[in-house]
Amino acid sequence: MRLEKVQEVCLRRGIIFPSAEIYGSVAGFYEWGPIGFSIKKKFIEAWRDFFIKPYGFYEIEGSLVLPEKVFEASGHLKGFVDPITQCENCKTIHRADHLIEECTKMFVEGKSEEELTEIIREKGLKCPRCGGNLSEVRMFNLMLKTEISPVGGIPAYLRPETAQNIFTSFSRIFKAMRGKLPFGIAQIGKSFRNEISPRRFLIRLREFHQAEIEVFFDPDNPECPFFHEVEEKDIPLLTREAQKEGKEASMINVKEAVETGLIPNEWLGFFLAKEFEFYTKLGIPPECLRFRHMLPEETPHYSKGNFDLEIKFDFGWKEVVGNAYRTDYDLRRHSEFSKKDLSVDVNGKKVLPHVVEPSFGIDRTILAVLLFSFREKGYDRDWNWMKLPNFLAPFHAAVFPLVSKDGLPEKAREIFEVLKKELEVFYDEKGSIGKRYARADEIGIPACVTIDYQTMEDETVTIRDRDTKQQKRVKIEKLVEEIRKIISY
Ligand code: AMP
């Protein structure tokens, strides 16, 4: 499996590895080492450039810990639950719905505890680990609870999504920024979920990064001013009918999908089309992307349309972005619970805005990028390499002296110091040059600059291209320009 191989590279190269490793670590928590962190930073910048800056949306940084009231209003306290069952023999806890789906291929989304227990009994399902009997199913809340203050603790939770800060702070931000509908607020940050069985590396974590945008608009005026950018575009849509008939996604024109009501409004259509373009730029093949219209039983009662962007991994299709038309649900609930009027004035009319939300999982997306860019040893060379999109590469270039003698390292350091001012570069002088190229390829560095004996004579170096392995000689003074050519997109 590609996943295990990429995970091995991530561990060995310190890219992404388990937290508190020296103490045995806890499932679902990972550290991003220097290379991983650099990739993540670049991903976030690219996401900002693509989804935020051109459209004048505002970004905030809200707190990770929020009081219980927030989640009472949002519905998380009651409804953010997963069904679990425990083995009476080995005590392992299983996600009841996943266990049933895996063992019977039945689709059980939205079923109650009683219904799930009944299926387990009827089908005679046992613990997959030890064959023991399974307990009755009960619901488990996925939020991580904490307490504020040393005495008489105030109950609070680590946020399970970044969106709630945006809703609770909406009024203040709208006023402070002299807002006008439509109005977009985004947040990139950590979210926490006490997942029952974290697994598949970055797919299901207990602490993960999300990037969410909430666009607030007047339901009487739902036009998206940027829709013209995407209206000609086709996107792979898996309709509810196609799902029932076991068919694949088909390419559907965004404008038509909005006009026929398949996609509920222009804002949602806009985001789906932009996501398709963005994920293709990330190197995910278009045929491995689809937007699945969630079935009625999977859709929250207040939503007027949920479309998950899914990627086809080796282990099946997985959601990487949740897109939802949340109507006025969140602002209405927070209005009711806080007793604050969260409506805005639109030409003398009071409007409680409606919301469209794309919710991106950053870790899952980066995992997909790593998996699709991974070229295993033997593919076209004798070592692993990553065909990372160059704008995500952890370093723009690596600088190597051919050998570590005869003044070459000193010259290489000198060049490294110059490049460092303009680019992100990595210096290495240990080991054979072939091994150093291989190490640079494995983490996706697009260009390697080598200082050799000729450099000492004519102020030229070689630049090697990661993808083609071709080398060319360039003047040191042209080096920055040449590397920029390689990394531009
Ligand atoms: P959701 O609110 O569940 O639709 O989540 C939005 C996005 O966050 C998903 O599409 C995932 O990419 C990401 N996500 C949700 N839960 C997890 C998790 N446990 N681990 C990693 N990413 C997650």
Side-chain angles (χ1 to χ4, degrees):
M1 281 280 274
R2 239 185 325 179
L3 181 70
E4 276 90 56
K5 287 177 185 140
V6 167
Q7 199 165 356
E8 185 276 322
V9 173
C10 285
L11 184 66
R12 180 165 44 77
R13 301 297 304 268
I15 303 172
I16 305 156
F17 48 95
S19 303
E21 219 181 347
I22 57 167
Y23 292 106
S25 69
V26 180
F29 296 94
Y30 283 91
E31 311 270 330
W32 292 65
I35 297 163
F37 182 57
S38 177
I39 295 173
K40 188 185 255 189
K41 261 193 316 190
K42 297 210 169 78
F43 173 85
I44 289 174
E45 243 356 274
W47 185 87
R48 234 180 223 133
D49 285 346
F50 198 84
F51 288 102
I52 302 296
K53 290 185 191 163
Y55 307 110
F57 301 149
Y58 292 106
E59 236 183 284
I60 64 159
E61 186 189 62
S63 50
L64 309 184
V65 176
L66 292 166
E68 188 162 65
K69 236 0 204 194
V70 171
F71 300 110
E72 242 179 270
S74 69
H76 283 87
L77 206 55
K78 217 166 151 201
F80 198 58
V81 289
D82 274 342
I84 56 170
T85 175
Q86 189 171 26
C87 171
E88 286 167 358
N89 180 42
C90 71
K91 309 292 174 209
T92 306
I93 293 176
H94 303 278
R95 265 282 293 262
D97 52 344
H98 288 178
L99 187 126
I100 295 174
E101 282 172 11
E102 273 159 30
C103 297
T104 67
K105 305 283 169 249
M106 284 170 79
F107 183 71
V108 293
E109 183 83 34
K111 294 225 183 291
S112 68
E113 294 121 289
E114 293 77 24
E115 288 169 317
L116 294 172
T117 305
E118 208 176 301
I119 298 172
I120 289 180
R121 301 284 176 259
E122 250 175 33
K123 302 277 176 194
L125 301 184
K126 301 282 175 198
C127 171
R129 275 232 174 130
C130 74
N133 288 332
L134 294 168
S135 72
E136 290 197 347
V137 175
R138 69 177 175 88
M139 291 297 176
F140 170 75
N141 195 298
L142 294 182
M143 284 195 297
L144 279 147
K145 193 168 182 178
T146 184
E147 277 189 0
I148 309 167
S149 141
V151 280
I154 304 162
Y157 296 86
L158 295 182
R159 66 183 185 196
E161 58 177 23
T162 60
Q164 292 309 318
N165 305 95
I166 299 180
F167 299 129
T168 53
S169 305
F170 167 71
S171 259
R172 183 173 291 283
I173 299 166
F174 191 76
K175 280 188 205 116
M177 304 315 288
R178 306 174 64 80
K180 212 160 94 274
L181 298 182
F183 188 75
I185 308 177
Q187 183 168 204
I188 301 166
K190 288 276 179 100
S191 292
F192 303 81
R193 297 183 186 179
N194 202 358
E195 297 283 357
I196 294 148
S197 44
R199 57 181 174 167
R200 294 211 174 104
F201 196 20
L202 308 182
I203 292 285
R204 199 164 335 128
L205 299 168
R206 287 179 165 138
E207 175 177 337
F208 54 97
H209 244 108
Q210 286 186 315
E212 297 189 295
I213 308 170
E214 312 297 322
V215 171
F216 298 86
F217 62 91
D218 180 351
D220 292 335
N221 187 11
E223 287 82 35
C224 163
F226 317 113
F227 194 64
H228 62 90
E229 270 186 36
V230 302
E231 60 185 15
E232 304 279 307
K233 309 256 183 203
D234 295 337
I235 55 168
L237 256 181
L238 184 65
T239 61
R240 287 177 169 170
E241 288 68 40
Q243 288 173 69
K244 269 192 224 131
E245 291 163 20
K247 290 190 184 149
E248 305 268 309
S250 51
M251 294 303 286
I252 295 180
N253 173 265
V254 177
K255 190 167 183 221
E256 260 174 56
V258 173
E259 278 168 3
T260 56
L262 179 58
I263 296 176
N265 56 42
E266 288 187 1
W267 275 107
L268 204 55
F270 167 73
F271 281 119
L272 301 191
K274 294 299 287 180
E275 286 165 27
F276 186 52
E277 190 186 335
F278 185 67
Y279 277 77
T280 313
K281 269 193 203 296
L282 291 177
I284 315 296
E287 64 278 11
C288 295
L289 291 166
R290 73 179 186 195
F291 293 96
R292 190 169 72 81
H293 190 184
M294 289 176 76
L295 298 169
E297 55 273 34
E298 301 171 280
T299 309
H301 63 91
Y302 53 82
S303 169
K304 285 220 185 128
N306 277 49
F307 290 82
D308 282 355
L309 172 59
E310 297 184 332
I311 293 183
K312 190 178 186 185
F313 291 90
D314 288 346
F315 41 85
W317 290 92
K318 284 277 165 284
E319 173 199 345
V320 290
V321 186
N323 295 283
Y325 175 19
R326 304 176 69 111
T327 66
D328 65 359
Y329 173 79
D330 306 275
L331 290 185
R332 191 161 38 75
R333 294 276 295 187
H334 285 301
S335 259
E336 281 163 24
F337 280 71
S338 67
K339 313 253 180 309
K340 304 268 179 347
D341 181 6
L342 301 181
S343 62
V344 302
D345 180 274
V346 179
N347 304 323
K349 179 182 75 166
K350 250 184 155 198
V351 172
L352 194 60
H354 275 211
V355 170
V356 159
E357 170 199 79
S359 166
F360 295 72
I362 294 181
D363 312 72
R364 263 188 213 182
T365 300
I366 293 178
L367 177 63
V369 172
L370 296 177
L371 290 171
F372 281 96
S373 66
F374 184 65
R375 304 286 182 272
E376 203 185 342
K377 178 179 171 177
Y379 171 80
D380 68 347
R381 56 197 82 172
D382 272 347
W383 53 88
N384 298 327
W385 65 287
M386 294 265 188
K387 194 178 168 47
L388 277 183
N390 288 341
F391 60 95
L392 294 187
F395 298 99
H396 298 131
V399 178
F400 305 142
L402 179 67
V403 289
S404 54
K405 57 180 186 182
D406 302 332
L408 267 54
E410 290 73 16
K411 184 73 185 167
R413 281 242 163 237
E414 203 182 284
I415 293 172
F416 173 67
E417 291 302 326
V418 173
L419 292 182
K420 216 166 73 177
K421 296 200 178 89
E422 310 245 2
L423 299 161
E424 286 176 63
V425 278
F426 176 79
Y427 180 83
D428 191 6
E429 62 176 64
K430 280 197 225 111
S432 76
I433 191 76
K435 287 228 172 77
R436 278 179 277 160
Y437 285 148
R439 286 175 59 78
D441 280 0
E442 193 170 44
I443 58 169
I445 300 180
C448 290
V449 175
T450 303
I451 287 78
D452 56 14
Y453 287 103
Q454 198 178 324
T455 313
M456 311 303 268
E457 284 162 22
D458 64 5
E459 292 286 305
T460 63
V461 293
T462 63
I463 297 192
R464 172 185 174 277
D465 182 294
R466 175 196 68 200
D467 297 351
T468 61
K469 297 183 280 173
Q470 297 292 320
Q471 299 192 24
K472 66 173 183 182
R473 286 208 88 83
V474 299
K475 282 261 177 219
I476 293 173
E477 72 214 37
K478 295 265 180 215
L479 205 45
V480 172
E481 199 182 306
E482 285 293 328
I483 297 171
R484 282 204 199 286
K485 262 194 234 159
I486 295 180
I487 61 174
S488 66
Y489 67 101

